[in-house]
Amino acid sequence: MRGPLFYSKILLFGEYGIIKDSKGLSIPYNFYNGALKIDAHKTVGTHKSNDNLNRFATYLETLQKEQPELVHFDLKAMRNDIAEGLYFDSSIPQGYGVGSSGALVAAIYDKYATDKITVLENLTRDKLLQLKAIFAAMESFFHGKSSGLDPLNSYLSLPILINSKDNIEPAGIPSQTENGKGAVFLLDSGTTGETAPMVQIFMENMKQEGFRSMLKDQFVKHTDACVEDFLQGDVKSLFGNIKQLSKVVLDNFKPMIPKQFHTLWKKGIETNAYYLKLCGSGGGGYMLGFTEDIDKARTALKDYKLEVVYNF
């Protein structure tokens, strides 16, 4: 057995902000992907994933009992497959902010949900919100609290525009410029990040009025402007807003930025060679970079590994 491929995702804009109703824009990133497979030999390499799926099945049993109206799975089939050696074969790095658990959730829903909403039907806003709610409940097993967006992106394999918590839609993003000098890239921090502790820090900070108003007046404002600029292909305005967003994050989200990158982050803002922002919850994994000149950025970041994900 080999299930269909589910891709990783990149939340270009909206990390943390979408918790407080900022806009967001999430795109599939098909460089990494995962699929459900059965390893009949039950080798050491697949044992951990198989074990994890066993625990996940128990969680889904509880979820189904507690919220029968939300989602229903063929858990008998899932348990049988787990006994046969089911595992998630994935190239998506874990703890890197590119949606490793999201792809797994999408694959499980696709394979075992009964009466599922399929990608082929007319995806009304209600259906999208319903899928998002199902995925949020499923992914909570991994993160403690999930928006459901990562699995949704992975499941649909479409860019998703988040207008607000209750308003999401598939988005058309401008097509890439083949030889464009401008680029969005991933910068490898070399360490993994845990989502739950980072979200915990954010929630603690949200108790302070100063942090809340910074979030609303600066972070959400620049995030929303970046989403608008990106969708409209207004590159000049986009880079102005990204620079502001990068500054706000450096000043207010320091715990989410790995220490060794504080200077690098600042250098980008000062030289305008590149601007960095969080990719997912931060704390490690990837950081997202935006540059108007990829060669300039590569030179400035020559000691680091860059992966271009989009060209302007």
Side-chain angles (χ1 to χ4, degrees):
M1 173 199 132
R2 185 196 164 84
L5 284 177
F6 289 92
Y7 298 119
S8 56
K9 65 84 208 162
I10 292 171
L11 185 62
L12 284 182
F13 303 105
E15 71 292 341
Y16 292 108
I18 52 177
I19 299 177
K20 289 289 142 208
D21 256 6
S22 80
K23 283 186 186 294
L25 183 64
S26 182
I27 60 170
Y29 182 43
N30 53 15
F31 184 74
Y32 296 121
N33 54 57
L36 289 169
K37 288 184 184 174
I38 283 183
D39 173 17
H41 306 294
K42 302 185 187 166
T43 45
V44 176
T46 62
H47 180 76
K48 194 177 165 195
S49 174
N50 179 264
D51 210 36
N52 208 4
L53 287 173
N54 200 20
R55 289 200 304 279
F56 192 32
T58 306
Y59 172 81
L60 295 178
E61 273 167 7
T62 311
L63 178 66
Q64 193 166 281
K65 271 192 202 112
E66 287 174 359
Q67 300 186 53
E69 70 298 332
L70 182 69
V71 65
H72 207 273
F73 299 98
D74 184 348
L75 290 164
K76 193 168 174 233
M78 187 175 170
R79 289 283 189 201
N80 286 343
D81 288 345
I82 289 167
E84 292 290 313
L86 183 75
Y87 72 106
F88 190 57
D89 183 22
S90 169
S91 66
I92 308 170
Q94 290 187 2
Y96 262 71
V98 285
S100 53
S101 60
L104 168 58
V105 165
I108 292 289
Y109 177 81
D110 180 66
K111 177 91 178 113
Y112 299 107
T114 55
D115 197 23
K116 66 182 181 190
I117 296 168
T118 71
V119 184
L120 301 170
E121 59 196 86
N122 177 18
L123 288 167
T124 59
R125 185 176 294 171
D126 284 350
K127 281 182 186 166
L128 282 174
L129 287 172
Q130 195 185 336
L131 270 175
K132 183 173 171 284
I134 291 167
F135 290 148
M138 289 174 73
E139 201 184 29
S140 295
F141 170 74
F142 300 96
H143 291 325
K145 185 174 168 51
S146 159
S147 67
L149 280 167
D150 288 4
L152 186 64
N153 202 298
S154 195
Y155 186 63
L156 301 177
S157 215
L158 290 168
I160 292 169
L161 169 63
I162 302 112
N163 293 304
S164 66
K165 276 197 190 72
D166 307 324
N167 183 348
I168 52 176
E169 57 186 314
I173 61 172
S175 48
Q176 301 195 46
T177 320
E178 271 309 301
N179 304 312
K181 279 174 99 66
V184 182
F185 60 87
L186 291 173
L187 182 71
D188 191 344
S189 72
T191 57
T192 56
E194 288 270 334
T195 301
M198 293 296 121
V199 174
Q200 189 73 43
I201 293 168
F202 175 78
M203 289 310 197
E204 275 305 307
N205 288 344
M206 282 300 288
K207 291 175 183 170
Q208 299 159 26
E209 198 185 326
F211 187 86
R212 284 200 304 274
S213 43
M214 171 282 302
L215 199 76
K216 185 162 130 296
D217 302 335
Q218 297 174 52
F219 188 80
V220 170
K221 186 181 101 178
H222 295 309
T223 296
D224 287 0
C226 284
V227 171
E228 294 291 332
D229 290 342
F230 189 89
L231 291 176
Q232 282 160 16
D234 188 342
V235 177
K236 194 173 182 311
S237 177
L238 174 68
F239 277 92
N241 280 308
I242 286 172
K243 182 175 184 173
Q244 294 306 319
L245 185 59
S246 188
K247 275 185 188 163
V248 171
V249 173
L250 183 61
D251 292 343
N252 300 283
F253 288 81
K254 277 227 166 66
M256 286 76 168
I257 305 170
K259 275 201 176 57
Q260 69 274 30
F261 284 95
H262 290 185
T263 315
L264 205 65
W265 198 289
K266 198 159 171 253
K267 193 176 133 199
I269 296 167
E270 286 166 357
T271 61
N272 297 315
Y274 56 86
Y275 305 123
L276 297 178
K277 65 182 288 297
L278 296 172
C279 179
S281 56
Y286 286 120
M287 278 165 293
L288 263 180
F290 288 78
T291 179
E292 290 187 83
D293 184 339
I294 188 64
D295 297 329
K296 212 164 134 185
R298 279 191 201 283
T299 308
L301 298 163
K302 62 181 187 305
D303 301 333
Y304 299 89
K305 213 173 94 196
L306 264 63
E307 274 174 43
V308 172
V309 298
Y310 187 93
N311 284 101
F312 293 105

